[in-house]
Amino acid sequence: MGGSEHEKIPLAVREICGAALEAPGQTEPGARLSAFDGGGTSHVAEGFLEKVRTRSFQITATDICTLRDGGISEDAIFELTVAAALGAATARFKARLAAVEAAD
């Protein structure tokens, strides 16, 4: 199958990711990109973001309160959570796409 990996991601998904990562917000675009990529950051929310990426069903109100108590605004928590969730979903999509292509 032809096309770059980027082109195989549906346009709507690319647009949503672009907006979530690049639009003005409470957090810097670099922090959102790091949350999206799953790379290590020095951000106080890193443990929470890892939970978003790998076991979001375990997130509780206590997790959010801990972040707020750590000085992170609700808007920033939202932005970083969306970025981490989109990054995890995109990575899973790419892995599944690669598996399908390998089977062809």
Side-chain angles (χ1 to χ4, degrees), residues 9-42:
I9 303 294
L11 177 60
V13 174
R14 293 193 316 259
E15 289 175 344
I16 290 169
C17 290
L21 299 176
E22 298 167 5
Q26 291 293 308
T27 57
E28 293 295 321
R32 285 179 265 151
L33 181 59
S34 183
F36 180 89
D37 288 339
T41 68
S42 59

Side-chain angles (χ1 to χ4, degrees), residues 20-63:
L21 299 176
E22 298 167 5
Q26 291 293 308
T27 57
E28 293 295 321
R32 285 179 265 151
L33 181 59
S34 183
F36 180 89
D37 288 339
T41 68
S42 59
H43 201 278
V44 67
E46 185 55 39
F48 170 77
L49 297 175
E50 182 61 24
K51 190 183 264 191
V52 169
R53 289 188 285 270
T54 61
R55 53 192 196 289
S56 59
F57 61 93
Q58 293 179 341
I59 293 172
T60 66
T62 301
D63 294 314

Side-chain angles (χ1 to χ4, degrees), residues 17 21 33 35-38 53 81-94:
C17 290
L21 299 176
L33 181 59
F36 180 89
D37 288 339
R53 289 188 285 270
T81 301
V82 168
L86 285 171
T90 301
R92 289 180 184 112
F93 178 83
K94 288 177 182 178

Side-chain angles (χ1 to χ4, degrees), residues 73-91:
S73 72
E74 288 191 15
D75 286 343
I77 294 167
F78 175 78
E79 292 170 8
L80 293 170
T81 301
V82 168
L86 285 171
T90 301

